[in-house]
Amino acid sequence: MTGSKTDISNADAPLHVELGARSYDIVIGQGLIADAGGRIGALMTGSRAVIVTDDNVGPLYLPRLQESLSAAAIQHASITVPAGEKTKDFNHLQKLTDELLAARIDRSTLLIALGGGVIGDLAGFAAAITMRGIDFVQVPTTLLAQVDSSVGGKTGINSARGKNLIGAFHQPRLVLADLECLDSLPRRQLLAGYAEIIKYGLINDPQFFDWLEINGGAVTDGDKAAQHHAVLTSCAAKAAIVAADERESGVRALLNLGHTFGHALEAETGYDGTLLHGEAVAMGMTLAYDFSQTLGLCSGRDCERVRSHLNAIGLPTKLGDLAAASSTAGWTADALITHMALDKKAENGKMVFVLARAIGDCFINRDVSIDQLRAFLTNALTEKN
Ligand code: GLY
């Protein structure tokens, strides 16, 4: 398949994230969990692994992974934590690190994160800090984790003061994105992950966005060739950005398109499940494009294309699309701006926005006028239904 500016000419070869001594491969395909032992064994310095998973994913994929490790003569233990965002906290981190130490790991033990973004972030952070850092492998089982959170080394937990505020950069040694896992994902979760795929087209790859407009339905309907192309293109885009700016001092901030608005919406819901992260990003990307139009930066036609594609896929683009839209009744522009100012992306008291000149042409802006933002959000809240 063609339709992207990112070099993925050999679709069957692993993608490489080039980070010197911290470089690693991303393998995308089917049957990768059943086949994981050989790939994981090849990079281990010791002979023991500990799998961290949750009580949703474990029953589906843990036996398959365990069998594969046993077949490769890798000794293994497993730790299962409760599924859900609430597990990404200090209590569960403490419990997990205790269990790792109780399992008598040493510095050659490899940790395997089997699950979605919560497991990748929590287990990755445990790997970053236990014994001052042990190796880990990401086996992402959700679309969102496959195209975003498993790649790039951001690990961490939430604090009572906000999401992902405690954490570390700790790159995995390998990412295995098994597309078969997408077949068991609830559709709402699949669509939420798809929002992050659209993001890569919007940031800097207009041909990929064109491709998604035609093939997005196939991706979300389970077509494996389309899923492979979408996940590969997304991971290649992310790998290139992470290689250029591992610690987000520059271009990596582009990956936050839709996130400044989206995190404010999530915070306002109190993370009560009204809004999945990917849904918040979908709404946030629409707001970022609409705000860019308001500022005279981008055309209404491009805003309409973004909104139409998100809606065609079944993602929300306005506050009135939320399942529990009535709960947004008391929201104000100032409350959303307060969340944005507290976001960890804010620097020296200034909010950092990713704005758009066109589809596939986004840029970072640290000089947004609060008055213009307030007027824009007030209008968006008024028009929500
Ligand atoms: N999810 C954005 C990043 O990894 O930088």
Side-chain angles (χ1 to χ4, degrees), residues 148-149 151-154 169 196 199-200 238 241-242 246 248 252-253 255-256 259 277:
D148 183 27
S149 59
V151 176
K154 284 188 179 175
F169 284 98
E196 299 277 1
K199 185 182 80 177
Y200 296 106
K238 181 150 187 185
I241 287 178
V242 168
E246 182 182 8
E248 200 170 304
R252 184 164 179 169
L255 296 174
N256 296 326
H259 284 61
H277 174 67

Side-chain angles (χ1 to χ4, degrees), residues 88-281:
K88 249 178 74 172
D89 69 356
F90 264 118
N91 284 340
H92 289 91
L93 177 70
Q94 184 180 3
K95 202 159 170 285
L96 175 57
T97 51
D98 271 355
E99 286 185 50
L100 287 170
L101 296 172
R104 297 190 168 278
I105 63 163
D106 63 33
R107 298 200 66 193
S108 71
T109 305
L110 182 97
L111 199 151
I112 303 173
L114 172 70
V118 168
I119 290 299
D121 286 7
L122 174 74
F125 190 34
I129 59 175
T130 306
M131 296 187 154
R132 298 208 175 92
I134 59 172
D135 286 345
F136 85 115
V137 166
Q138 290 269 22
V139 186
T141 57
T142 64
L143 185 57
L144 192 133
Q146 292 188 353
V147 298
D148 183 27
S149 59
S150 68
V151 176
K154 284 188 179 175
T155 72
I157 56 171
N158 301 326
S159 137
R161 294 181 185 276
K163 275 187 82 171
N164 298 327
L165 292 181
I166 316 288
F169 284 98
H170 187 54
Q171 299 292 342
R173 295 289 317 282
L174 174 71
V175 179
L176 295 178
D178 190 336
L179 300 174
E180 281 177 19
C181 298
L182 304 181
D183 298 339
S184 62
L185 260 192
R187 186 161 178 86
R188 190 174 167 210
Q189 296 277 353
L190 190 77
L191 297 189
Y194 183 85
E196 299 277 1
I197 292 179
I198 298 178
K199 185 182 80 177
Y200 296 106
L202 294 178
I203 289 173
N204 64 2
D205 193 344
Q207 290 82 10
F208 185 45
F209 188 82
D210 294 345
W211 184 88
L212 290 170
E213 283 184 313
I214 296 165
N215 298 286
V219 174
T220 55
D221 284 346
D223 179 301
K224 288 297 165 212
Q227 287 184 343
H228 189 275
H229 182 73
V231 174
L232 183 68
T233 306
S234 301
C235 287
K238 181 150 187 185
I241 287 178
V242 168
D245 178 24
E246 182 182 8
R247 292 191 164 238
E248 200 170 304
S249 48
V251 72
R252 184 164 179 169
L254 285 171
L255 296 174
N256 296 326
L257 171 64
H259 284 61
T260 300
F261 286 109
H263 278 169
L265 302 180
E266 282 183 282
E268 194 62 13
T269 62
Y271 308 104
D272 65 357
T274 305
L275 198 55
L276 298 179
H277 174 67
E279 293 169 342
V281 169

